[in-house]
Amino acid sequence: MILSALLPRRAFHACRIELWGRDLDREPPAAPSLPPGLAVARVTDREPAGSPRRRALVGAMAPTPAAEIDARLATGRRAYVVEGPAGILAYGWVTRGDEEIAEVEGRIRVGPGEAYIWDCATLPAYRGRGLYPALLGAIARDLAADGVTRAWIAARADNAPSLRGLEKAGFQRAADIRYVRLWRWRRLAVHRRAGATPALLPLPLRAIA
């Protein structure tokens, strides 16, 4: 954009993301399975700090500091990882409460019985193998077993691989979110997606702050 080229980096910010949801009360659609030899594991604050899995998570998320990962786990957030003989190949985080959405410089506020999935990544060497939708499907099943009724996730509108992964994992577009900041002036526009399941419509109007 012309503005972003002319103004200092911190003066202007614009982003468009899509908010997707999945109603876990319904029969979960089939999600791609992992290749043989791989499995999804859950990492919580009960995992010892010096365990091989915790160390592998820190390595996979580099350059994110280990202290930040420790702080996430200490505040009740949990990580899910795809692991195999080569270590951790992909990961994603889940929060049962408010969470930052850095792209729109704000927070999402999920309701009781809901969860927000965020900071998901597949290590470059393992992309294109269907790990992301398989990971999301495993997360959804685990959340449903924990009594979570609805899961939310956001992705940049220009990230076509992530959007395809969300669709394969059974998530549905709920809203388009556009955000613009020029110095202290900010504008956040949320547009509900036509055809979204009714249960997915209230959150985009009440939860992005």
Side-chain angles (χ1 to χ4, degrees):
M1 297 179 67
I2 296 177
L3 279 175
S4 61
L6 296 178
L7 292 171
R9 175 176 294 183
R10 295 184 179 180
F12 177 79
H13 175 70
C15 186
R16 177 175 168 243
I17 64 174
E18 293 184 4
L19 183 67
W20 294 58
R22 180 166 166 179
D23 191 347
L24 303 181
D25 280 342
R26 302 188 174 202
E27 183 68 22
S33 58
L34 288 168
L38 303 182
V40 173
R42 179 170 64 178
V43 184
T44 69
D45 60 346
R46 295 183 180 181
E47 184 81 27
S51 70
R53 184 172 287 154
R54 284 278 288 266
R55 293 199 303 268
L57 179 60
V58 171
M61 292 186 61
T64 302
E68 180 177 333
I69 295 172
D70 293 342
R72 292 182 185 185
L73 295 173
T75 52
R77 297 167 174 87
R78 62 176 67 166
Y80 289 82
V81 298
V82 176
E83 55 187 11
I88 291 178
L89 286 57
Y91 59 85
W93 286 83
V94 173
T95 299
R96 299 280 301 274
D98 293 4
E99 190 54 73
E100 299 288 339
I101 302 183
E103 291 84 353
V104 297
E105 299 178 334
R107 297 177 68 82
I108 185 169
R109 295 172 178 159
V110 299
E114 299 179 342
Y116 180 64
I117 304 169
W118 58 289
D119 196 9
C120 299
T122 301
L123 273 62
Y126 304 101
R127 291 172 184 168
R129 304 185 186 185
L131 302 186
Y132 182 49
L135 172 63
L136 292 178
I139 291 174
R141 289 190 292 271
D142 191 65
L143 291 175
D146 280 351
V148 176
T149 59
R150 194 166 296 117
W152 301 97
I153 188 170
R156 294 183 68 99
D158 57 359
N159 190 340
S162 288
L163 300 180
R164 288 195 298 269
L166 293 174
E167 189 170 13
K168 290 179 180 178
F171 284 78
Q172 181 185 22
R173 285 181 174 89
D176 293 310
I177 302 170
R178 297 175 183 268
Y179 175 72
V180 178
R181 174 178 52 77
L182 179 60
W183 296 109
R184 293 186 178 181
W185 179 85
R186 301 168 185 260
R187 186 174 189 273
L188 181 73
V190 180
H191 301 283
R192 292 183 295 185
R193 277 278 184 154
T197 301
L200 300 182
L201 296 182
L203 183 128
L205 299 183
R206 66 172 166 81
I208 306 295

